[in-house]
Amino acid sequence: MSEGDRDPDQRPSSSSVGKRTRLNAGRIALILVGTVAVVAFTLYATIVLYGLIKGS
């Protein structure tokens, strides 16, 4: 395949745009996981505190 046959819209994954896209996707995934963890912990703590208060 000659250089002229390549699709100009496709960039190699090692390009700065590809790296930036993967970095942004990683950040979004990390934010989502962190958010779910915080919500789950808050719910757990609320249930435990409610149980302790009701149990007394």
Side-chain angles (χ1 to χ4, degrees), residues 15-42:
S15 71
S16 62
V17 174
K19 288 178 183 175
R20 196 175 317 123
T21 302
R22 285 195 313 273
L23 186 60
N24 286 341
R27 284 182 183 153
I28 291 171
L30 191 61
I31 289 169
L32 285 174
V33 169
T35 302
V36 169
V38 167
V39 169
F41 178 76
T42 303

